[in-house]
Amino acid sequence: MDSSIIFSGIVLGLLFWFIYQQLPVKRLKTLNTTDFSEVLNKNKSNILIDVREPHELKTGYIKDAVNIPLSQMKKRLDEIPEDKTVMLYCRSGFRSKKAARILKKKKVNMIHLRGGIMSWHGEIKHTK
């Protein structure tokens, strides 16, 4: 097989994957750090989920966040109540959007922090 055909197929596959990742997720609202913080402070009944891996929490986390890593999300869906808005964040925003794609099966309303914790201007808690 011609290597240019293989290369073109790989590039085309990556392009489709990138476009798919940019598509909106149903029931997911993306907010900047200011708006995310306002919603978080205004409605304490929302559930805040940090989808990073446990070792990443050493760099800090948002107060009251529950850690459900993306790698465990499918196995732990029963921990997420369907009657609450789910607020998601990760390090940069990429994994939390992937988590929202998994959670859309639960038909919950979701809010995602654009830019992840790297964009966060609020208080950060640290593990002991």
Side-chain angles (χ1 to χ4, degrees), residues 4-43:
S4 64
I5 293 173
I6 294 171
F7 179 75
S8 297
I10 291 170
V11 169
L12 194 57
L14 287 172
L15 179 63
F16 281 126
W17 178 81
F18 178 77
I19 291 170
Y20 173 76
Q21 293 300 318
Q22 301 308 311
L23 293 174
V25 178
K26 282 186 178 182
R27 293 179 302 283
L28 175 66
K29 181 188 277 189
T30 301
L31 297 178
N32 64 33
T33 189
T34 303
D35 295 337
F36 191 88
S37 180
E38 282 180 20
V39 171
L40 186 61
N41 291 326
K42 193 183 305 181
N43 193 340

Short mmCIF file of all heavy atoms in Angstrom, two decimals, residues 4-43:
data_model
loop_
_atom_site.label_atom_id
_atom_site.label_comp_id
_atom_site.label_asym_id
_atom_site.label_seq_id
_atom_site.Cartn_x
_atom_site.Cartn_y
_atom_site.Cartn_z
N SER A 4 1.62 7.32 1.09
CA SER A 4 0.88 8.59 1.06
C SER A 4 -0.61 8.35 1.34
O SER A 4 -1.27 9.19 1.95
CB SER A 4 1.07 9.31 -0.27
OG SER A 4 0.52 8.56 -1.34
N ILE A 5 -1.13 7.20 0.94
CA ILE A 5 -2.53 6.87 1.23
C ILE A 5 -2.70 6.63 2.73
O ILE A 5 -3.66 7.10 3.34
CB ILE A 5 -2.99 5.64 0.41
CG1 ILE A 5 -3.04 5.99 -1.08
CG2 ILE A 5 -4.36 5.16 0.88
CD1 ILE A 5 -3.31 4.82 -1.98
N ILE A 6 -1.77 5.92 3.32
CA ILE A 6 -1.82 5.66 4.77
C ILE A 6 -1.73 6.98 5.53
O ILE A 6 -2.51 7.23 6.45
CB ILE A 6 -0.69 4.70 5.19
CG1 ILE A 6 -0.91 3.32 4.58
CG2 ILE A 6 -0.60 4.61 6.72
CD1 ILE A 6 0.25 2.37 4.76
N PHE A 7 -0.80 7.83 5.14
CA PHE A 7 -0.63 9.13 5.80
C PHE A 7 -1.90 9.97 5.66
O PHE A 7 -2.37 10.56 6.63
CB PHE A 7 0.57 9.87 5.21
CG PHE A 7 0.79 11.22 5.82
CD1 PHE A 7 1.33 11.34 7.10
CD2 PHE A 7 0.45 12.38 5.14
CE1 PHE A 7 1.52 12.58 7.68
CE2 PHE A 7 0.64 13.62 5.72
CZ PHE A 7 1.17 13.71 6.99
N SER A 8 -2.49 10.00 4.47
CA SER A 8 -3.72 10.76 4.25
C SER A 8 -4.85 10.23 5.12
O SER A 8 -5.64 11.00 5.67
CB SER A 8 -4.13 10.69 2.77
OG SER A 8 -3.17 11.30 1.95
N GLY A 9 -4.93 8.90 5.25
CA GLY A 9 -5.96 8.30 6.09
C GLY A 9 -5.80 8.69 7.55
O GLY A 9 -6.78 8.97 8.24
N ILE A 10 -4.57 8.70 8.01
CA ILE A 10 -4.29 9.09 9.40
C ILE A 10 -4.66 10.55 9.63
O ILE A 10 -5.32 10.89 10.62
CB ILE A 10 -2.82 8.81 9.77
CG1 ILE A 10 -2.56 7.31 9.82
CG2 ILE A 10 -2.45 9.47 11.10
CD1 ILE A 10 -1.11 6.92 9.94
N VAL A 11 -4.26 11.41 8.72
CA VAL A 11 -4.56 12.84 8.84
C VAL A 11 -6.07 13.07 8.82
O VAL A 11 -6.61 13.83 9.63
CB VAL A 11 -3.85 13.66 7.73
CG1 VAL A 11 -4.36 15.08 7.69
CG2 VAL A 11 -2.35 13.64 7.94
N LEU A 12 -6.75 12.39 7.92
CA LEU A 12 -8.21 12.53 7.82
C LEU A 12 -8.89 12.04 9.10
O LEU A 12 -9.81 12.68 9.62
CB LEU A 12 -8.73 11.76 6.61
CG LEU A 12 -10.14 12.05 6.16
CD1 LEU A 12 -10.34 13.53 5.85
CD2 LEU A 12 -10.49 11.22 4.94
N GLY A 13 -8.41 10.91 9.64
CA GLY A 13 -8.95 10.39 10.90
C GLY A 13 -8.76 11.37 12.04
O GLY A 13 -9.67 11.59 12.83
N LEU A 14 -7.58 11.95 12.13
CA LEU A 14 -7.31 12.93 13.18
C LEU A 14 -8.18 14.17 13.02
O LEU A 14 -8.65 14.73 14.01
CB LEU A 14 -5.83 13.32 13.19
CG LEU A 14 -4.88 12.25 13.72
CD1 LEU A 14 -3.43 12.68 13.48
CD2 LEU A 14 -5.12 11.99 15.19
N LEU A 15 -8.40 14.59 11.80
CA LEU A 15 -9.25 15.75 11.53
C LEU A 15 -10.68 15.48 11.98
O LEU A 15 -11.29 16.31 12.66
CB LEU A 15 -9.21 16.10 10.04
CG LEU A 15 -10.07 17.28 9.61
CD1 LEU A 15 -9.60 18.57 10.27
CD2 LEU A 15 -10.06 17.43 8.10
N PHE A 16 -11.22 14.32 11.64
CA PHE A 16 -12.57 13.97 12.07
C PHE A 16 -12.66 13.89 13.59
O PHE A 16 -13.64 14.34 14.18
CB PHE A 16 -13.04 12.65 11.44
CG PHE A 16 -13.50 12.78 10.03
CD1 PHE A 16 -12.95 11.98 9.03
CD2 PHE A 16 -14.47 13.71 9.67
CE1 PHE A 16 -13.37 12.10 7.72
CE2 PHE A 16 -14.89 13.84 8.36
CZ PHE A 16 -14.34 13.03 7.38
N TRP A 17 -11.65 13.31 14.24
CA TRP A 17 -11.64 13.22 15.69
C TRP A 17 -11.64 14.61 16.32
O TRP A 17 -12.37 14.88 17.27
CB TRP A 17 -10.41 12.42 16.15
CG TRP A 17 -10.31 12.32 17.63
CD1 TRP A 17 -10.97 11.48 18.47
CD2 TRP A 17 -9.49 13.14 18.48
NE1 TRP A 17 -10.62 11.70 19.77
CE2 TRP A 17 -9.70 12.72 19.81
CE3 TRP A 17 -8.59 14.17 18.24
CZ2 TRP A 17 -9.06 13.30 20.88
CZ3 TRP A 17 -7.95 14.74 19.32
CH2 TRP A 17 -8.20 14.32 20.62
N PHE A 18 -10.81 15.52 15.78
CA PHE A 18 -10.74 16.88 16.30
C PHE A 18 -12.09 17.58 16.15
O PHE A 18 -12.56 18.23 17.09
CB PHE A 18 -9.64 17.68 15.59
CG PHE A 18 -9.55 19.09 16.04
CD1 PHE A 18 -8.95 19.42 17.25
CD2 PHE A 18 -10.07 20.13 15.27
CE1 PHE A 18 -8.88 20.73 17.69
CE2 PHE A 18 -10.01 21.44 15.69
CZ PHE A 18 -9.40 21.74 16.91
N ILE A 19 -12.72 17.45 15.00
CA ILE A 19 -14.01 18.09 14.76
C ILE A 19 -15.06 17.52 15.73
O ILE A 19 -15.84 18.26 16.32
CB ILE A 19 -14.45 17.92 13.29
CG1 ILE A 19 -13.55 18.77 12.39
CG2 ILE A 19 -15.92 18.30 13.10
CD1 ILE A 19 -13.71 18.50 10.91
N TYR A 20 -15.06 16.20 15.92
CA TYR A 20 -15.99 15.56 16.85
C TYR A 20 -15.82 16.12 18.26
O TYR A 20 -16.80 16.39 18.96
CB TYR A 20 -15.79 14.04 16.85
CG TYR A 20 -16.60 13.35 17.91
CD1 TYR A 20 -17.97 13.15 17.76
CD2 TYR A 20 -16.00 12.88 19.08
CE1 TYR A 20 -18.73 12.52 18.74
CE2 TYR A 20 -16.75 12.24 20.07
CZ TYR A 20 -18.10 12.07 19.89
OH TYR A 20 -18.85 11.46 20.86
N GLN A 21 -14.59 16.32 18.71
CA GLN A 21 -14.33 16.84 20.05
C GLN A 21 -14.83 18.26 20.23
O GLN A 21 -15.11 18.69 21.34
CB GLN A 21 -12.83 16.77 20.36
CG GLN A 21 -12.28 15.37 20.49
CD GLN A 21 -12.96 14.59 21.59
OE1 GLN A 21 -13.20 15.08 22.68
NE2 GLN A 21 -13.26 13.35 21.31
N GLN A 22 -14.96 19.00 19.13
CA GLN A 22 -15.41 20.38 19.20
C GLN A 22 -16.92 20.52 19.18
O GLN A 22 -17.46 21.58 19.47
CB GLN A 22 -14.80 21.20 18.05
CG GLN A 22 -13.29 21.21 18.03
CD GLN A 22 -12.67 21.61 19.34
OE1 GLN A 22 -13.05 22.61 19.92
NE2 GLN A 22 -11.72 20.82 19.81
N LEU A 23 -17.63 19.45 18.81
CA LEU A 23 -19.08 19.51 18.75
C LEU A 23 -19.66 19.73 20.14
O LEU A 23 -19.14 19.21 21.13
CB LEU A 23 -19.64 18.22 18.15
CG LEU A 23 -19.32 17.96 16.69
CD1 LEU A 23 -19.83 16.57 16.29
CD2 LEU A 23 -19.91 19.01 15.79
N PRO A 24 -20.75 20.48 20.22
CA PRO A 24 -21.36 20.70 21.54
C PRO A 24 -21.95 19.41 22.10
O PRO A 24 -22.37 18.53 21.36
CB PRO A 24 -22.45 21.74 21.26
CG PRO A 24 -22.66 21.74 19.80
CD PRO A 24 -21.44 21.18 19.16
N VAL A 25 -21.98 19.33 23.43
CA VAL A 25 -22.56 18.19 24.13
C VAL A 25 -23.92 18.64 24.65
O VAL A 25 -24.03 19.70 25.26
CB VAL A 25 -21.65 17.74 25.30
CG1 VAL A 25 -22.28 16.59 26.06
CG2 VAL A 25 -20.27 17.38 24.80
N LYS A 26 -24.96 17.82 24.42
CA LYS A 26 -26.30 18.17 24.89
C LYS A 26 -26.30 18.36 26.40
O LYS A 26 -25.66 17.61 27.12
CB LYS A 26 -27.30 17.08 24.54
CG LYS A 26 -27.74 17.10 23.11
CD LYS A 26 -28.83 16.09 22.89
CE LYS A 26 -29.29 16.17 21.45
NZ LYS A 26 -30.39 15.26 21.18
N ARG A 27 -27.03 19.36 26.84
CA ARG A 27 -27.18 19.70 28.27
C ARG A 27 -25.89 20.11 28.95
O ARG A 27 -25.77 20.05 30.16
CB ARG A 27 -27.87 18.56 29.03
CG ARG A 27 -29.31 18.33 28.64
CD ARG A 27 -29.95 17.19 29.39
NE ARG A 27 -29.29 15.92 29.23
CZ ARG A 27 -29.38 15.13 28.17
NH1 ARG A 27 -30.12 15.49 27.15
NH2 ARG A 27 -28.75 13.98 28.12
N LEU A 28 -24.88 20.51 28.16
CA LEU A 28 -23.62 21.00 28.74
C LEU A 28 -23.47 22.48 28.45
O LEU A 28 -23.48 22.90 27.30
CB LEU A 28 -22.41 20.25 28.16
CG LEU A 28 -21.04 20.76 28.64
CD1 LEU A 28 -20.86 20.51 30.13
CD2 LEU A 28 -19.92 20.11 27.84
N LYS A 29 -23.33 23.25 29.52
CA LYS A 29 -23.09 24.68 29.39
C LYS A 29 -21.63 24.93 29.77
O LYS A 29 -21.17 24.46 30.81
CB LYS A 29 -24.01 25.45 30.34
CG LYS A 29 -23.86 26.96 30.26
CD LYS A 29 -24.66 27.64 31.34
CE LYS A 29 -26.09 27.79 30.91
NZ LYS A 29 -26.86 28.64 31.85
N THR A 30 -20.90 25.63 28.93
CA THR A 30 -19.51 25.96 29.21
C THR A 30 -19.45 27.38 29.76
O THR A 30 -19.96 28.31 29.14
CB THR A 30 -18.65 25.84 27.93
OG1 THR A 30 -18.75 24.50 27.45
CG2 THR A 30 -17.21 26.18 28.20
N LEU A 31 -18.82 27.53 30.93
CA LEU A 31 -18.71 28.85 31.56
C LEU A 31 -17.26 29.21 31.82
O LEU A 31 -16.44 28.34 32.10
CB LEU A 31 -19.46 28.85 32.91
CG LEU A 31 -20.96 28.61 32.88
CD1 LEU A 31 -21.51 28.61 34.30
CD2 LEU A 31 -21.68 29.63 32.02
N ASN A 32 -16.99 30.52 31.79
CA ASN A 32 -15.66 30.98 32.18
C ASN A 32 -15.56 30.92 33.70
O ASN A 32 -16.54 30.66 34.39
CB ASN A 32 -15.38 32.39 31.62
CG ASN A 32 -16.31 33.44 32.20
OD1 ASN A 32 -16.75 33.36 33.34
ND2 ASN A 32 -16.66 34.43 31.39
N THR A 33 -14.39 31.18 34.21
CA THR A 33 -14.14 31.00 35.65
C THR A 33 -15.02 31.90 36.52
O THR A 33 -15.49 31.47 37.57
CB THR A 33 -12.64 31.20 35.97
OG1 THR A 33 -12.42 30.82 37.32
CG2 THR A 33 -12.17 32.60 35.73
N THR A 34 -15.29 33.13 36.08
CA THR A 34 -16.12 34.04 36.86
C THR A 34 -17.55 33.53 36.97
O THR A 34 -18.12 33.46 38.06
CB THR A 34 -16.10 35.45 36.24
OG1 THR A 34 -14.75 35.90 36.16
CG2 THR A 34 -16.92 36.43 37.06
N ASP A 35 -18.13 33.16 35.83
CA ASP A 35 -19.51 32.67 35.83
C ASP A 35 -19.63 31.32 36.54
O ASP A 35 -20.60 31.06 37.24
CB ASP A 35 -20.04 32.58 34.40
CG ASP A 35 -20.14 33.94 33.72
OD1 ASP A 35 -20.24 34.96 34.44
OD2 ASP A 35 -20.11 33.99 32.47
N PHE A 36 -18.63 30.46 36.35
CA PHE A 36 -18.62 29.16 37.02
C PHE A 36 -18.62 29.35 38.53
O PHE A 36 -19.38 28.71 39.26
CB PHE A 36 -17.38 28.38 36.57
CG PHE A 36 -17.35 26.93 36.95
CD1 PHE A 36 -17.92 25.97 36.12
CD2 PHE A 36 -16.72 26.51 38.11
CE1 PHE A 36 -17.87 24.62 36.46
CE2 PHE A 36 -16.66 25.16 38.45
CZ PHE A 36 -17.25 24.22 37.61
N SER A 37 -17.80 30.26 39.01
CA SER A 37 -17.71 30.56 40.44
C SER A 37 -19.03 31.10 40.98
O SER A 37 -19.47 30.71 42.06
CB SER A 37 -16.59 31.56 40.69
OG SER A 37 -16.48 31.86 42.05
N GLU A 38 -19.68 31.97 40.22
CA GLU A 38 -20.97 32.53 40.64
C GLU A 38 -22.02 31.44 40.79
O GLU A 38 -22.74 31.41 41.78
CB GLU A 38 -21.45 33.58 39.63
CG GLU A 38 -20.77 34.91 39.76
CD GLU A 38 -21.29 35.92 38.74
OE1 GLU A 38 -22.40 35.74 38.20
OE2 GLU A 38 -20.56 36.90 38.47
N VAL A 39 -22.11 30.55 39.81
CA VAL A 39 -23.08 29.46 39.86
C VAL A 39 -22.77 28.54 41.04
O VAL A 39 -23.65 28.12 41.77
CB VAL A 39 -23.12 28.67 38.53
CG1 VAL A 39 -23.97 27.42 38.66
CG2 VAL A 39 -23.63 29.55 37.40
N LEU A 40 -21.51 28.25 41.23
CA LEU A 40 -21.07 27.37 42.32
C LEU A 40 -21.45 27.96 43.68
O LEU A 40 -21.95 27.25 44.55
CB LEU A 40 -19.55 27.17 42.22
CG LEU A 40 -18.92 26.18 43.17
CD1 LEU A 40 -19.48 24.78 42.95
CD2 LEU A 40 -17.41 26.16 42.96
N ASN A 41 -21.23 29.25 43.85
CA ASN A 41 -21.54 29.90 45.13
C ASN A 41 -23.03 30.14 45.34
O ASN A 41 -23.50 30.15 46.47
CB ASN A 41 -20.79 31.22 45.25
CG ASN A 41 -19.30 31.01 45.39
OD1 ASN A 41 -18.86 30.04 45.99
ND2 ASN A 41 -18.52 31.90 44.81
N LYS A 42 -23.76 30.32 44.25
CA LYS A 42 -25.19 30.63 44.34
C LYS A 42 -26.03 29.39 44.65
O LYS A 42 -26.99 29.46 45.39
CB LYS A 42 -25.67 31.23 43.02
CG LYS A 42 -27.04 31.86 43.09
CD LYS A 42 -27.53 32.38 41.76
CE LYS A 42 -26.56 33.36 41.14
NZ LYS A 42 -27.03 33.89 39.86
N ASN A 43 -25.66 28.25 44.09
CA ASN A 43 -26.47 27.06 44.26
C ASN A 43 -25.64 25.94 44.87
O ASN A 43 -24.97 25.20 44.18
CB ASN A 43 -27.07 26.62 42.92
CG ASN A 43 -28.15 25.60 43.10
OD1 ASN A 43 -28.24 24.94 44.13
ND2 ASN A 43 -28.99 25.45 42.09
#
